């Protein structure tokens, strides 16, 4: 098992990844006009779906790591 310090460091890394993916999602929403003008809305929707699934993955991983950390209290 990982010790507390390693779990806390992993939480920091996962939180950083969550922030990056949220920032990408907000940028994708702003670029919506660009995709609409070029007529590639399906590509926009695909990218948005991928980023949404990535965000869900990182949040699940954060919660799992937090649960492991709380068991060690």
């Amino acid at each position: 098992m990982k010790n507390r310090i390693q779990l806390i460091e992993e939480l920091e890394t996962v939180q950083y990844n969550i922030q990056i993916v949220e920032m990408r999602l907000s940028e994708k929403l702003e670029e919506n006009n660009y995709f609409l003008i070029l007529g590639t809305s399906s590509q926009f929707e695909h990218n948005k779906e991928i980023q949404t699934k990535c965000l869900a993955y990182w949040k699940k991983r954060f919660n799992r790591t937090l649960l492991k950390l709380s068991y060690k209290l």
Side-chain angles (χ1 to χ4, degrees):
M1 290 295 295
K2 296 180 180 179
N3 63 14
R4 289 182 59 80
I5 294 173
Q6 289 174 332
L7 287 173
I8 291 171
E9 289 173 354
E10 185 177 336
L11 275 177
E12 291 173 353
T13 304
V14 171
Q15 177 63 31
Y16 176 73
N17 289 332
I18 289 172
Q19 290 173 347
I20 288 175
V21 173
E22 286 177 341
M23 186 171 47
R24 285 181 189 164
L25 270 174
S26 65
E27 289 174 0
K28 293 294 180 191
L29 294 176
E30 292 173 1
E31 293 178 2
N32 189 16
N33 293 332
Y34 171 77
F35 285 105
L36 288 176
I37 291 171
L38 294 178
T40 57
S41 61
S42 63
Q43 182 182 4
F44 170 75
E45 291 299 323
H46 178 70
N47 289 340
K48 184 177 153 187
E49 182 180 345
I50 289 173
Q51 293 301 323
T52 305
K53 288 183 179 183
C54 287
L55 183 61
Y57 166 77
W58 285 114
K59 285 186 177 183
K60 286 179 190 175
R61 185 163 174 192
F62 182 85
N63 289 333
R64 277 185 268 142
T65 306
L66 191 61
L67 190 62
K68 287 178 190 175
L69 188 61
S70 66
Y71 280 141
K72 291 191 175 234
L73 291 176

